[in-house]
Amino acid sequence: MTIAANLGYPRIGPKRELKTALEAFWAGKLGEAELQSTAAALRAGARAVQQGSGISHVPSADFALYDHVLETVCAFGLVPPGYGWSGEGPVSLATMFALARGRAAERAAGIPGDAVALEMTKWFDTNYHYVVPRLSAAMRPRLLDDRWTRALREGLQHGTRTRPVLLGPISLLLLSKTEDGTRPLDLLPAMLPAYADALRFLAEAGAVWVQVDEPCLVTDLPSGAEDAYRTAFRALAEAAPGLNLLLTTYFEGLRDNLQLAASLPVAGLHVDLVRAPGQLPAVLEALPRDRWLSLGVVDGRNVWRTDLRAALAQLRAAEAAGFGKRLMVAPSCSLLHVPHSLAMETALDPALKRRLAFANEKLKEVAVLARAVDEGEKAVAAALEESDRALAEARADERLHDPGLAARLAAVTPEMERRTSSYPSRAAAQAARLGLPELPVTSIGSWPQTAEVRSLRARLARGELDKTGYDAEMERMIAEAVRWQEEIGVDVLVHGEFERNDMVKYFGEQLAGYAFTKHGWVQSYGSRCVAPPIIWADVSRPKPMTVRWSAYAQSLTDKPMKGMLTGPVTMLQWSFVRTDIPRETVCRQIALAIRDEVADLEAAGIPIVQIDEPAFREGLPLRKADRDDYLRWAVACFRLSASPVRDETQIHTHMCYSEFNDIIESIAAMDADVISIETARSNMELLDAFAVFDYPNEIGPGVWDIHSPRVPSAEEMARLAARAAERIPRRRLWLNPDCGCKTRGWAEVKPAMANLVAAARQLRARAV
Ligand code: GLN
Ligand code: ZN
């Protein structure tokens, strides 16, 4: 019989119960037992929903209080010293949260000291962030906390034999960093006995299937990884011969790793047919017929309903190739990356809602497909018809396509993606217009989003404050911020972004083609959730979005005011994007909308416009072979948005959240006059790139880490800037914080900005 399977269920809870419980626990308002019982209730709810939807392989141990990579590390005792773990016995919750959030955050829990949190980074190309393990050769991995058997038993007690999920040993190691020069894979021999124990105990406790996630199999593998895979899976297979291991890959096709994956001694292989539908024939050819094949045909990364007939055709192809008796249907990856349920979305456009499927709806699709394979299409005729109808309705929906926009896109010329003159002539024109000092001081855009700002927005939403009253309050705050920046001597001012709830949402709400959910929360990291907007139709800008605020701010000062926009790539990257047209096309549509805003800002007398692209690097494909194509269109979209202006109008961009050294040439190709970039936290690691690459335009490497509540001294910031000046000519260097100040309080921002101005003055007074 075809098995309906799931690979992972959202952890956060339909009403973000886990977030609430975690934050109460961290605040000392909830005990550990209560936190654990909330978590257990969420898991029980998840099992019930999955079983109720007809899923027979329900995952377990996919749940994590903070992050599954972190829990794996704690289960195996891979804990660096300094976080309150003695080296013996299970790792406490306090230590786990200290690893995730830093020890200062856990001092309340009785752990002294202030060790910093482990680094966090994006889980492959998703917006989920995992805690990066920090390993060393001295570690002695062993199974300290058998979270997998515990998860299995929990299900069994409630009558469900779940399929525990383990992050496989090779992916765990490849996702880790080492401290002492050892290569992560060198730790494999020490790791394998711990994994073997976990599997053996699972078999003893009654597990039949275990899902071993090896997403690194879809990436370009480093040397030695292939052998490591063979060694590891030989050991795992021997550890528990009766246990069925499902080798699980997702987020891309296997490509050159297919033969390797197909040759490993496991009971089954899961492949992602949403990201890589074209890999099916090769998989069918490569996989021995005594293996199970799990096909990920329901998109675990996006919110659209599945084309059930197309998915069924793929399943039939596998059946015809001889996998009919060993077939599983599943989402492409864990459903962690989509919201819980559509049921709560009462305010969405009804036609749009009919085209959507969140986690709970996707599970039903999986079950329907499994039934269709076994019992024929007639058995699920109603579901197939509903899927057909939704697709047909979408195809016929004229609101999706804006003919005027299509014509405008077709008329885009290469000149429109280029400034009129090259950077040196622009720089001269801008210098003449702006009259800035050497080492100009600016900020990244937002000033603190205080309780006052948030309460004004809440009162507007509740109707307690009308739009006129709200706007007047915004103007008052802008005026205060402008006066303060003038007083302390900032060179390029910003209005402060008080009117913005979120840098994507604020623009999405004013653009055609975007929709917003009420409860579409997705875990970003720990207790942090985001509700990405949905781009469902052609994107265009009905009217100016920011001009009124920037123009008002400029009217208050003779200093240059910087207009502030979110760039097209970031607007795309932080949304759920329609799939009926290429991503590149959606991005170009947004680029045109931003371009119009840039032109309007210029026309309103704004001399500088910053187009933020913090998510620029996130869009980078997993495989190196695909990267050039992405970078080509992402750079082109940025340039399309930035290039309607005259030479004397200065374009800035801003980037943060990732390492940029390996894409520095593309960043240069964006041809912004000035880029501000996060680098204070990594102690100016960015500057390494300038040793080999001569960045041609102006740059402001952040000298104040705004992620920490510390107020840096003028000397400290001057020191960082002086280091930058060794690599970047002073006349092209700016002074600014790392990122926007919206999460900070005025008590830190005011002295820190004053120190920044003082740092600039110190440096200007010094000879080169
Ligand atoms: N202009 C935005 C701000 O200052 C940039 C935010 C970001 O880079 N994430 O808030
Ligand atoms: Zn930033």
Side-chain angles (χ1 to χ4, degrees), residues 60-107:
S60 63
D62 55 333
F63 183 86
L65 280 174
Y66 196 96
D67 166 46
H68 60 285
V69 180
L70 176 64
E71 291 207 359
T72 306
V73 153
C74 291
F76 288 134
L78 303 169
V79 176
Y83 292 88
W85 182 55
S86 67
E88 297 301 329
V91 174
S92 68
L93 213 52
T95 291
M96 187 175 87
F97 288 139
L99 289 164
R101 308 170 65 233
R103 251 164 75 167
E106 292 307 304
R107 216 169 288 150

Short mmCIF file of all heavy atoms in Angstrom, two decimals, residues 60-107:
data_model
loop_
_atom_site.label_atom_id
_atom_site.label_comp_id
_atom_site.label_asym_id
_atom_site.label_seq_id
_atom_site.Cartn_x
_atom_site.Cartn_y
_atom_site.Cartn_z
N SER A 60 8.11 12.11 14.44
CA SER A 60 8.28 12.55 15.82
C SER A 60 9.74 12.97 16.00
O SER A 60 10.57 12.66 15.15
CB SER A 60 7.92 11.44 16.81
OG SER A 60 8.80 10.35 16.66
N ALA A 61 10.01 13.66 17.10
CA ALA A 61 11.33 14.27 17.34
C ALA A 61 11.64 15.32 16.28
O ALA A 61 12.76 15.79 16.17
CB ALA A 61 12.45 13.23 17.42
N ASP A 62 10.64 15.68 15.48
CA ASP A 62 10.77 16.83 14.60
C ASP A 62 10.55 18.11 15.41
O ASP A 62 10.93 19.19 15.00
CB ASP A 62 9.78 16.76 13.43
CG ASP A 62 8.34 16.60 13.90
OD1 ASP A 62 8.12 16.04 15.01
OD2 ASP A 62 7.41 17.02 13.18
N PHE A 63 9.93 17.94 16.57
CA PHE A 63 9.68 19.06 17.46
C PHE A 63 11.00 19.48 18.12
O PHE A 63 11.87 18.66 18.37
CB PHE A 63 8.66 18.68 18.53
CG PHE A 63 8.31 19.81 19.44
CD1 PHE A 63 7.30 20.70 19.09
CD2 PHE A 63 8.99 20.00 20.64
CE1 PHE A 63 6.99 21.77 19.91
CE2 PHE A 63 8.68 21.06 21.47
CZ PHE A 63 7.67 21.95 21.11
N ALA A 64 11.14 20.77 18.40
CA ALA A 64 12.27 21.24 19.21
C ALA A 64 11.80 22.48 19.95
O ALA A 64 11.01 23.24 19.42
CB ALA A 64 13.46 21.59 18.31
N LEU A 65 12.29 22.65 21.17
CA LEU A 65 11.89 23.83 21.93
C LEU A 65 12.47 25.09 21.29
O LEU A 65 11.84 26.13 21.29
CB LEU A 65 12.37 23.72 23.38
CG LEU A 65 11.53 22.86 24.31
CD1 LEU A 65 12.20 22.74 25.66
CD2 LEU A 65 10.12 23.43 24.47
N TYR A 66 13.69 24.98 20.78
CA TYR A 66 14.32 26.16 20.17
C TYR A 66 14.74 25.87 18.73
O TYR A 66 14.39 26.60 17.82
CB TYR A 66 15.52 26.60 21.01
CG TYR A 66 15.99 28.01 20.70
CD1 TYR A 66 15.57 29.09 21.47
CD2 TYR A 66 16.84 28.25 19.62
CE1 TYR A 66 15.98 30.38 21.18
CE2 TYR A 66 17.25 29.55 19.32
CZ TYR A 66 16.82 30.61 20.10
OH TYR A 66 17.23 31.89 19.81
N ASP A 67 15.47 24.76 18.56
CA ASP A 67 15.99 24.44 17.23
C ASP A 67 16.42 22.97 17.22
O ASP A 67 17.01 22.49 18.19
CB ASP A 67 17.19 25.35 16.92
CG ASP A 67 18.00 24.87 15.74
OD1 ASP A 67 17.37 24.53 14.72
OD2 ASP A 67 19.24 24.81 15.83
N HIS A 68 16.14 22.26 16.15
CA HIS A 68 16.45 20.83 16.13
C HIS A 68 17.95 20.54 16.03
O HIS A 68 18.41 19.51 16.53
CB HIS A 68 15.68 20.13 15.00
CG HIS A 68 16.00 20.64 13.63
ND1 HIS A 68 15.54 21.85 13.16
CD2 HIS A 68 16.74 20.12 12.63
CE1 HIS A 68 15.98 22.04 11.92
NE2 HIS A 68 16.72 21.00 11.59
N VAL A 69 18.70 21.44 15.41
CA VAL A 69 20.15 21.21 15.34
C VAL A 69 20.74 21.35 16.76
O VAL A 69 21.53 20.53 17.21
CB VAL A 69 20.83 22.18 14.36
CG1 VAL A 69 22.33 21.93 14.30
CG2 VAL A 69 20.21 22.06 12.97
N LEU A 70 20.28 22.38 17.45
CA LEU A 70 20.74 22.61 18.82
C LEU A 70 20.36 21.43 19.72
O LEU A 70 21.17 20.96 20.54
CB LEU A 70 20.10 23.90 19.35
CG LEU A 70 20.38 24.26 20.80
CD1 LEU A 70 21.86 24.54 21.02
CD2 LEU A 70 19.54 25.47 21.23
N GLU A 71 19.16 20.90 19.57
CA GLU A 71 18.76 19.77 20.42
C GLU A 71 19.57 18.52 20.11
O GLU A 71 19.87 17.72 21.00
CB GLU A 71 17.25 19.51 20.29
CG GLU A 71 16.46 20.64 20.93
CD GLU A 71 15.08 20.26 21.43
OE1 GLU A 71 14.68 19.08 21.30
OE2 GLU A 71 14.41 21.15 21.97
N THR A 72 19.94 18.36 18.84
CA THR A 72 20.77 17.21 18.47
C THR A 72 22.14 17.32 19.14
O THR A 72 22.67 16.36 19.70
CB THR A 72 20.92 17.14 16.93
OG1 THR A 72 19.61 17.14 16.36
CG2 THR A 72 21.65 15.90 16.49
N VAL A 73 22.69 18.53 19.07
CA VAL A 73 23.99 18.80 19.68
C VAL A 73 23.94 18.51 21.19
O VAL A 73 24.86 17.89 21.75
CB VAL A 73 24.35 20.28 19.36
CG1 VAL A 73 25.26 20.86 20.41
CG2 VAL A 73 24.99 20.38 17.98
N CYS A 74 22.87 18.96 21.84
CA CYS A 74 22.75 18.74 23.28
C CYS A 74 22.55 17.25 23.58
O CYS A 74 23.11 16.72 24.55
CB CYS A 74 21.61 19.55 23.86
SG CYS A 74 21.94 21.32 23.84
N ALA A 75 21.79 16.57 22.76
CA ALA A 75 21.53 15.15 22.99
C ALA A 75 22.83 14.34 22.94
O ALA A 75 23.00 13.36 23.65
CB ALA A 75 20.54 14.62 21.97
N PHE A 76 23.75 14.78 22.08
CA PHE A 76 25.02 14.06 21.92
C PHE A 76 26.16 14.66 22.74
O PHE A 76 27.32 14.27 22.59
CB PHE A 76 25.42 14.02 20.44
CG PHE A 76 24.57 13.08 19.60
CD1 PHE A 76 24.06 13.48 18.37
CD2 PHE A 76 24.28 11.80 20.04
CE1 PHE A 76 23.29 12.63 17.58
CE2 PHE A 76 23.50 10.93 19.27
CZ PHE A 76 23.01 11.34 18.05
N GLY A 77 25.86 15.65 23.57
CA GLY A 77 26.90 16.22 24.43
C GLY A 77 27.97 17.01 23.68
O GLY A 77 29.12 17.06 24.11
N LEU A 78 27.59 17.62 22.57
CA LEU A 78 28.57 18.39 21.79
C LEU A 78 28.51 19.85 22.22
O LEU A 78 28.25 20.75 21.42
CB LEU A 78 28.26 18.25 20.30
CG LEU A 78 28.22 16.80 19.79
CD1 LEU A 78 27.66 16.71 18.38
CD2 LEU A 78 29.62 16.18 19.83
N VAL A 79 28.76 20.07 23.51
CA VAL A 79 28.58 21.38 24.11
C VAL A 79 29.94 21.99 24.44
O VAL A 79 30.72 21.40 25.18
CB VAL A 79 27.73 21.27 25.39
CG1 VAL A 79 27.61 22.62 26.09
CG2 VAL A 79 26.34 20.71 25.05
N PRO A 80 30.24 23.16 23.88
CA PRO A 80 31.53 23.79 24.22
C PRO A 80 31.56 24.20 25.69
O PRO A 80 30.51 24.42 26.30
CB PRO A 80 31.59 25.02 23.30
CG PRO A 80 30.28 25.13 22.62
CD PRO A 80 29.44 23.96 22.96
N PRO A 81 32.74 24.31 26.26
CA PRO A 81 32.83 24.71 27.67
C PRO A 81 32.35 26.15 27.86
O PRO A 81 32.39 26.94 26.92
CB PRO A 81 34.32 24.59 27.99
CG PRO A 81 35.02 24.58 26.67
CD PRO A 81 34.05 24.06 25.65
N GLY A 82 31.90 26.45 29.06
CA GLY A 82 31.53 27.83 29.36
C GLY A 82 30.04 28.09 29.36
O GLY A 82 29.62 29.23 29.47
N TYR A 83 29.25 27.04 29.21
CA TYR A 83 27.80 27.25 29.18
C TYR A 83 27.10 26.52 30.32
O TYR A 83 25.90 26.25 30.26
CB TYR A 83 27.22 26.81 27.82
CG TYR A 83 27.69 27.72 26.69
CD1 TYR A 83 28.88 27.46 26.02
CD2 TYR A 83 26.95 28.84 26.33
CE1 TYR A 83 29.33 28.30 25.00
CE2 TYR A 83 27.38 29.68 25.32
CZ TYR A 83 28.57 29.40 24.65
OH TYR A 83 29.00 30.24 23.65
N GLY A 84 27.87 26.18 31.33
CA GLY A 84 27.24 25.64 32.53
C GLY A 84 27.00 24.15 32.50
O GLY A 84 26.27 23.62 33.33
N TRP A 85 27.63 23.42 31.54
CA TRP A 85 27.47 21.97 31.53
C TRP A 85 28.73 21.33 32.07
O TRP A 85 29.85 21.68 31.65
CB TRP A 85 27.19 21.46 30.11
CG TRP A 85 26.97 19.98 30.04
CD1 TRP A 85 26.05 19.26 30.74
CD2 TRP A 85 27.69 19.04 29.21
NE1 TRP A 85 26.14 17.92 30.41
CE2 TRP A 85 27.14 17.77 29.48
CE3 TRP A 85 28.74 19.15 28.29
CZ2 TRP A 85 27.61 16.61 28.86
CZ3 TRP A 85 29.19 18.01 27.67
CH2 TRP A 85 28.63 16.75 27.96
N SER A 86 28.57 20.39 33.00
CA SER A 86 29.73 19.81 33.68
C SER A 86 30.49 18.83 32.80
O SER A 86 31.60 18.44 33.10
CB SER A 86 29.25 19.08 34.93
OG SER A 86 28.48 17.95 34.51
N GLY A 87 29.90 18.40 31.72
CA GLY A 87 30.55 17.38 30.90
C GLY A 87 29.99 16.00 31.18
O GLY A 87 30.32 15.03 30.49
N GLU A 88 29.17 15.88 32.19
CA GLU A 88 28.55 14.59 32.53
C GLU A 88 27.03 14.80 32.60
O GLU A 88 26.56 15.87 32.95
CB GLU A 88 29.03 14.08 33.90
CG GLU A 88 30.52 13.79 33.98
CD GLU A 88 30.99 12.75 32.97
OE1 GLU A 88 30.20 11.85 32.62
OE2 GLU A 88 32.14 12.86 32.51
N GLY A 89 26.31 13.75 32.28
CA GLY A 89 24.85 13.79 32.45
C GLY A 89 24.18 14.66 31.41
O GLY A 89 24.85 15.35 30.63
N PRO A 90 22.86 14.60 31.38
CA PRO A 90 22.11 15.34 30.37
C PRO A 90 22.37 16.84 30.45
O PRO A 90 22.66 17.38 31.51
CB PRO A 90 20.65 15.03 30.70
CG PRO A 90 20.67 13.83 31.58
CD PRO A 90 21.99 13.82 32.27
N VAL A 91 22.29 17.49 29.31
CA VAL A 91 22.48 18.94 29.21
C VAL A 91 21.19 19.61 29.66
O VAL A 91 20.11 19.28 29.17
CB VAL A 91 22.82 19.30 27.75
CG1 VAL A 91 22.89 20.80 27.56
CG2 VAL A 91 24.13 18.63 27.32
N SER A 92 21.32 20.56 30.59
CA SER A 92 20.11 21.19 31.13
C SER A 92 19.48 22.14 30.11
O SER A 92 20.13 22.60 29.17
CB SER A 92 20.44 21.95 32.40
OG SER A 92 21.23 23.07 32.05
N LEU A 93 18.23 22.47 30.40
CA LEU A 93 17.53 23.44 29.56
C LEU A 93 18.24 24.80 29.63
O LEU A 93 18.35 25.50 28.63
CB LEU A 93 16.09 23.57 30.10
CG LEU A 93 14.99 23.85 29.10
CD1 LEU A 93 15.02 22.86 27.97
CD2 LEU A 93 13.63 23.82 29.81
N ALA A 94 18.74 25.12 30.83
CA ALA A 94 19.43 26.41 31.00
C ALA A 94 20.65 26.47 30.09
O ALA A 94 20.91 27.49 29.43
CB ALA A 94 19.83 26.60 32.46
N THR A 95 21.40 25.37 30.02
CA THR A 95 22.57 25.35 29.13
C THR A 95 22.13 25.44 27.67
O THR A 95 22.72 26.19 26.89
CB THR A 95 23.40 24.07 29.37
OG1 THR A 95 24.00 24.17 30.66
CG2 THR A 95 24.47 23.89 28.32
N MET A 96 21.08 24.72 27.33
CA MET A 96 20.64 24.76 25.93
C MET A 96 20.24 26.18 25.52
O MET A 96 20.64 26.67 24.46
CB MET A 96 19.47 23.81 25.70
CG MET A 96 19.10 23.72 24.24
SD MET A 96 17.83 22.50 23.91
CE MET A 96 16.35 23.47 24.18
N PHE A 97 19.49 26.86 26.39
CA PHE A 97 19.08 28.22 26.04
C PHE A 97 20.28 29.18 26.10
O PHE A 97 20.31 30.18 25.39
CB PHE A 97 17.94 28.69 26.94
CG PHE A 97 16.63 28.02 26.64
CD1 PHE A 97 15.77 27.61 27.66
CD2 PHE A 97 16.25 27.77 25.32
CE1 PHE A 97 14.56 26.99 27.38
CE2 PHE A 97 15.04 27.15 25.03
CZ PHE A 97 14.19 26.76 26.05
N ALA A 98 21.25 28.88 26.95
CA ALA A 98 22.45 29.73 26.99
C ALA A 98 23.21 29.61 25.66
O ALA A 98 23.70 30.60 25.12
CB ALA A 98 23.35 29.33 28.15
N LEU A 99 23.27 28.38 25.12
CA LEU A 99 23.92 28.20 23.82
C LEU A 99 23.18 28.99 22.74
O LEU A 99 23.79 29.56 21.84
CB LEU A 99 23.94 26.71 23.44
CG LEU A 99 24.88 25.82 24.25
CD1 LEU A 99 24.51 24.35 24.06
CD2 LEU A 99 26.32 26.06 23.84
N ALA A 100 21.86 29.00 22.85
CA ALA A 100 21.06 29.65 21.82
C ALA A 100 21.06 31.16 21.96
O ALA A 100 21.06 31.88 20.96
CB ALA A 100 19.62 29.14 21.88
N ARG A 101 21.07 31.64 23.21
CA ARG A 101 20.78 33.07 23.41
C ARG A 101 21.89 33.81 24.13
O ARG A 101 21.77 35.01 24.36
CB ARG A 101 19.48 33.22 24.18
CG ARG A 101 18.33 32.44 23.56
CD ARG A 101 17.11 32.39 24.45
NE ARG A 101 16.54 33.71 24.62
CZ ARG A 101 16.28 34.28 25.79
NH1 ARG A 101 16.54 33.65 26.90
NH2 ARG A 101 15.75 35.48 25.85
N GLY A 102 22.94 33.12 24.51
CA GLY A 102 24.01 33.77 25.25
C GLY A 102 23.78 33.61 26.73
O GLY A 102 22.66 33.51 27.20
N ARG A 103 24.89 33.59 27.47
CA ARG A 103 24.73 33.31 28.90
C ARG A 103 24.18 34.48 29.67
O ARG A 103 23.53 34.31 30.69
CB ARG A 103 26.05 32.86 29.49
CG ARG A 103 25.99 31.40 29.82
CD ARG A 103 27.33 30.83 30.04
NE ARG A 103 27.87 31.23 31.33
CZ ARG A 103 28.93 30.64 31.86
NH1 ARG A 103 29.52 29.65 31.22
NH2 ARG A 103 29.40 31.03 33.00
N ALA A 104 24.41 35.70 29.13
CA ALA A 104 23.85 36.85 29.83
C ALA A 104 22.34 36.67 29.96
O ALA A 104 21.75 36.96 30.99
CB ALA A 104 24.17 38.13 29.08
N ALA A 105 21.75 36.15 28.89
CA ALA A 105 20.30 35.96 28.89
C ALA A 105 19.88 34.92 29.90
O ALA A 105 18.74 34.89 30.34
CB ALA A 105 19.84 35.54 27.49
N GLU A 106 20.81 34.03 30.26
CA GLU A 106 20.46 32.94 31.15
C GLU A 106 20.91 33.17 32.58
O GLU A 106 20.79 32.29 33.42
CB GLU A 106 21.08 31.64 30.63
CG GLU A 106 20.47 31.17 29.34
CD GLU A 106 18.96 31.07 29.43
OE1 GLU A 106 18.47 30.37 30.33
OE2 GLU A 106 18.26 31.71 28.64
N ARG A 107 21.44 34.36 32.84
CA ARG A 107 21.94 34.57 34.19
C ARG A 107 20.84 34.37 35.22
O ARG A 107 21.06 33.87 36.31
CB ARG A 107 22.58 35.96 34.33
CG ARG A 107 23.78 35.91 35.24
CD ARG A 107 24.57 37.19 35.18
NE ARG A 107 25.27 37.33 33.92
CZ ARG A 107 25.54 38.51 33.37
NH1 ARG A 107 25.13 39.62 33.93
NH2 ARG A 107 26.21 38.56 32.24
#
